[in-house]
Amino acid sequence: MDQPTIILLLEKYARGAASPEEAAQVSAWLQQVTPAEFNAVLQQCDVPEEFKAFLPISPEFAYRLESRLDALDEGPAPIRRRSVVYLKRVAAAAAVLVLLAAGALYWLRKPAPQPVAQAVPKAAVPQVHAPGGNRAMLTLADGSTIVLDSAQNGVLAQQGSTRIIKLKNGQLAYTPPAASNGSEAVFNTITTPAGGQYQLTLPDGSKVWLNAASSLRFPNHFTGNERSVELHGEGYFEIAHNKTLPFRVKVNEAVVEVLGTHFNVNAYSDETEVRTTLLEGAVKMSKGAASLLLAPGQQARLQRNGNMNLVKEADMEQAMAWKNGYFQFNKADLPALMRQIARWYGLEVVYEGPVKDYEFVGKIARNVYLADVLKALEGSGVHYRMEGNRLIIMS
């Protein structure tokens, strides 16, 4: 089937105007297309942009799509099992077919396929777990705190000649004195909770985006012969260039050193390794005598045992997914997926029995309710129940 034809069919299918014969053609195409090919075609389709971005949809639209999937599932046996399962596996979920879940999440299983889990009663999936947002706490050097998401725009505090300002766009900024006045730097800490993220501009003009459950300790103005901050969790940095003052990010026992560049550091304590991913410029990641110099598109991985490895062709889209508004998984196992979900929705995840050997590939928008995410997982065969703020994964 040529590309113009499939684009036309997908557009009709999205509107609910496809005939049974055309729907069968769509199903047949989805059985053989790769996720990359699907996404390439999708970008050329005349469907709302929010579908392409994996954003939530209206309940009415979701109901219509789900009804059409149910109709496919009642079709002839040779088509029913392959087409419906494949529709839930392939990234077609994203924009046209399974937006009714949480976005383009499809799955690969190592064991043989098993029946889809029974539907969980609506009462067991509370709607109170809203997606995270711009939430953070600023702790000043004197121990006082400012809740940034509820603070008014304008000057929040003054430390010597440095003003701390909340901008109209909600971001935090520091305005240091135009020239060094010899005052001693004091250190502040910005902390995001589970379900929070925040952006700030450091005193040197560098920009930082913090992911959920993260913190950054930094001075109110940089002094001496370096610019140094300390990160826990995950942060994306766009560093203001200054060849005379290297910028250093301390993560656990490692140091990431730059002059002016764009990079991401994932250093959560519950992950198995610290990952530094470089987008622009050059960085050096070091621990003790070991070090790696990165070029754009590369990633350094520091394991718990101290070994450091270089990934020459890193998955840049996956590394930057959180900042771009979604989760992205590339053959992630269930615990790795659930760690990200738990941070964003403020959950405690508990496993009953052995953890099943799943692999997940795809995307989920970060601005959907937890119930939608769980619906996508349920469609992939993950059994669970909710007890307050505890998500219990059942074997």
Side-chain angles (χ1 to χ4, degrees):
M1 189 184 310
D2 59 45
Q3 192 174 88
T5 300
I6 192 59
I7 289 173
L8 178 63
L9 289 176
L10 286 174
E11 291 173 347
K12 292 181 70 174
Y13 201 102
R15 298 194 306 269
S19 67
E21 293 77 13
E22 290 169 331
Q25 287 180 283
V26 171
S27 298
W29 180 72
L30 287 170
Q31 291 183 46
Q32 54 83 32
V33 71
T34 66
E37 291 169 340
F38 175 84
N39 286 331
V41 170
L42 176 63
Q43 298 309 313
Q44 301 180 58
C45 290
D46 184 18
V47 296
E49 287 299 319
E50 57 265 27
F51 290 2
K52 299 178 182 180
F54 313 117
L55 297 182
I57 61 170
S58 68
E60 295 78 15
F61 188 78
Y63 177 79
R64 291 199 302 272
L65 291 179
E66 192 163 16
S67 297
R68 291 206 295 278
L69 282 176
D70 290 342
L72 283 175
D73 200 28
E74 295 170 359
I79 297 177
R80 177 178 68 243
R81 187 50 49 204
R82 292 187 65 195
S83 63
V84 174
V85 170
Y86 199 75
L87 290 177
K88 291 181 179 179
R89 291 180 61 193
V90 180
V96 183
L97 302 172
V98 197
L99 265 172
L100 51 99
L105 176 67
Y106 72 97
W107 49 269
L108 300 171
R109 299 188 189 190
K110 293 178 181 176
Q114 301 174 7
V116 174
Q118 294 296 314
V120 176
K122 291 184 178 180
V125 186
Q127 292 289 340
V128 296
H129 291 94
N134 292 324
R135 306 184 188 112
M137 174 87 71
L138 179 66
T139 302
L140 301 178
D142 62 3
S144 61
T145 59
I146 301 173
V147 179
L148 295 175
D149 36 305
S150 60
Q152 297 293 319
N153 296 337
V155 178
L156 302 180
Q158 184 146 349
Q159 295 174 321
S161 301
T162 300
R163 292 188 304 164
I164 305 172
I165 302 173
K166 183 179 179 182
L167 304 176
K168 291 182 179 180
N169 59 8
Q171 299 173 14
L172 186 68
Y174 277 66
T175 59
S180 175
N181 57 8
S183 62
E184 182 179 356
V186 296
F187 284 81
N188 301 328
T189 301
I190 182 171
T191 305
T192 56
Q197 62 184 19
Y198 218 80
Q199 181 181 347
L200 69 150
T201 301
L202 296 175
D204 67 335
S206 296
K207 295 180 180 180
V208 184
W209 288 255
L210 283 182
N211 201 351
S214 301
S215 68
L216 186 76
R217 183 175 182 268
F218 57 96
N220 66 333
H221 65 275
F222 292 106
T223 59
N225 56 5
E226 70 173 19
R227 296 168 288 169
S228 181
V229 301
E230 184 175 344
L231 172 71
H232 295 275
E234 184 168 19
Y236 169 72
F237 296 80
E238 293 185 353
I239 303 304
H241 183 75
N242 187 333
K243 64 181 181 180
T244 64
L245 290 178
F247 193 101
R248 293 184 172 91
V249 182
K250 298 179 180 178
V251 285
N252 301 337
E253 298 177 359
V255 176
V256 179
E257 181 178 342
V258 304
L259 293 177
T261 189
H262 298 180
F263 62 99
N264 189 79
V265 179
N266 183 314
Y268 285 111
S269 59
D270 58 354
E271 296 292 345
T272 60
E273 57 191 10
V274 174
R275 297 187 297 274
T276 299
T277 310
L278 180 63
L279 282 76
E280 294 182 14
V283 303
K284 181 173 70 173
M285 185 172 181
S286 306
K287 181 180 180 182
S291 66
L292 284 175
L293 183 64
L294 301 185
Q298 296 182 343
Q299 183 180 82
R301 296 183 177 181
L302 174 62
Q303 300 172 357
R304 290 187 181 275
N305 61 10
N307 291 338
M308 195 179 302
N309 302 311
L310 177 65
V311 179
K312 292 186 177 180
E313 295 183 2
D315 188 339
M316 307 302 287
E317 187 177 1
Q318 182 177 6
M320 295 306 302
W322 71 271
K323 179 178 175 292
N324 295 331
Y326 56 90
F327 305 101
Q328 180 161 323
F329 309 104
N330 184 11
K331 296 186 178 180
D333 60 22
L334 183 60
L337 180 149
M338 293 312 307
R339 286 195 295 271
Q340 292 194 46
I341 300 301
R343 292 184 200 119
W344 190 236
Y345 293 94
L347 302 175
E348 177 189 359
V349 178
V350 178
Y351 296 90
E352 284 188 349
V355 179
K356 289 187 177 181
D357 196 12
Y358 291 103
E359 285 185 342
F360 293 88
V361 181
K363 297 178 181 179
I364 303 177
R366 279 164 62 106
N367 63 346
V368 299
Y369 276 78
L370 175 63
D372 295 322
V373 177
L374 295 180
K375 187 172 183 180
L377 295 176
E378 179 188 64
S380 299
V382 177
H383 300 253
Y384 66 89
R385 71 177 185 271
M386 291 292 302
E387 293 182 358
N389 216 41
R390 301 173 78 221
L391 173 60
I392 301 171
I393 306 297
M394 300 179 289
S395 58

